[in-house]
Amino acid sequence: MFAVAANNVPTGLVDFFHGIQVAITFALMTNVVQFAWWTRKGKRGKPMTHCERFGPVYVLMVSTCLVMVQPTCMLVISSWGINNFFFDNQSNPNALVPNTLTGWMIQVFCTYVGYILLFVGVFWATALHKKIARKWAVLRNGAPARNASITKKYSKTSTGEHADENVGGWDRVGTNKGDLWGTLFEDSKTESKETGLDAPLVQS
């Protein structure tokens, strides 16, 4: 049903959205790379090699190139009228996923691998896997959390005054003036001395 509907969409509209897809994907991926660059560049602490500091940035750059392959190919195919090597219209004219060898190779080794590298690079750059593991250990075992600073949560009372209560950990999400990223990474400075993320760059 979706394939039949897609075949009835005007060609010009399809070409337009191929261009929009390339622009949005490229903007998002390059912004993630910039985020990783400034996150790693601003760290200071014990010495780190170039690869230890900027490794996730390189991983995200490779991820960007891989993820951009398929939408760029679709844009080029529709813009210059090249034969669509993603689909074999003779065997299955209504296919929704690539059904040629070339199409599957690009889908698997570029798109899928690219998004896997995206997750790896983001987790590496932010040490998010360590933070999740630490929070999980706290929830499971009740162990004291490192850098579990206590903050105050304010709420309106019926009298118009503000009452506060001590909260910590993940309870702070959504209370940092709506800044989710600031909440997730606000402990990075205090933990850097132990993890080595705030290290000055040294030559390997």
Side-chain angles (χ1 to χ4, degrees):
M1 180 178 65
F2 291 106
V4 174
N7 290 332
N8 294 326
V9 176
T11 304
L13 187 61
V14 173
D15 297 342
F16 171 75
F17 279 104
H18 282 158
I20 293 294
Q21 179 186 13
V22 170
I24 293 177
T25 304
F26 184 73
L28 291 175
M29 295 299 295
T30 52
N31 271 276
V32 173
V33 174
Q34 294 178 59
F35 168 77
W37 163 262
W38 288 109
T39 298
R40 305 296 290 191
K41 183 176 183 292
K43 302 297 183 181
R44 294 293 182 269
K46 68 180 183 181
M48 298 177 66
T49 65
H50 180 85
C51 291
E52 288 175 336
R53 180 179 292 276
F54 295 108
V57 179
Y58 293 124
V59 171
L60 289 170
M61 291 174 65
V62 174
S63 170
T64 299
C65 295
L66 293 177
V67 169
M68 289 299 301
V69 169
Q70 184 169 2
T72 303
C73 287
M74 297 302 296
L75 178 62
V76 171
I77 289 172
S78 60
S79 298
W80 278 275
I82 302 174
N83 181 46
N84 193 336
F85 46 79
F86 283 94
F87 300 97
D88 182 7
N89 292 326
Q90 295 181 351
S91 61
N92 186 4
N94 296 324
L96 291 176
V97 295
N99 57 0
T100 64
L101 178 61
T102 303
W104 268 111
M105 293 287 286
I106 294 176
Q107 182 82 11
V108 174
F109 293 102
C110 291
T111 304
Y112 294 164
V113 173
Y115 280 113
I116 291 173
L117 291 179
L118 172 64
F119 279 94
V120 172
V122 170
F123 273 65
W124 185 1
T126 61
L128 191 58
H129 57 292
K130 296 180 181 178
K131 297 174 183 178
I132 293 176
R134 187 164 62 249
K135 296 297 182 182
W136 177 253
V138 173
L139 294 175
R140 293 284 294 178
N141 305 322
R146 184 180 61 188
N147 303 325
S149 58
I150 303 300
T151 60
K152 290 186 177 181
K153 180 179 180 181
Y154 296 90
S155 59
K156 282 285 187 179
T157 63
S158 58
T159 59
E161 299 178 350
H162 288 80
D164 62 302
E165 56 181 358
N166 290 329
V167 295
W170 290 107
D171 293 333
R172 290 173 290 165
V173 174
T175 64
N176 193 14
K177 296 182 179 180
D179 183 8
L180 177 59
W181 287 111
T183 302
L184 289 175
F185 304 119
E186 63 185 356
D187 293 337
S188 60
K189 291 184 179 179
T190 54
E191 70 178 359
S192 59
K193 294 183 180 179
E194 299 182 22
T195 61
L197 292 180
D198 285 352
L201 179 62
V202 296
Q203 297 297 328
S204 56

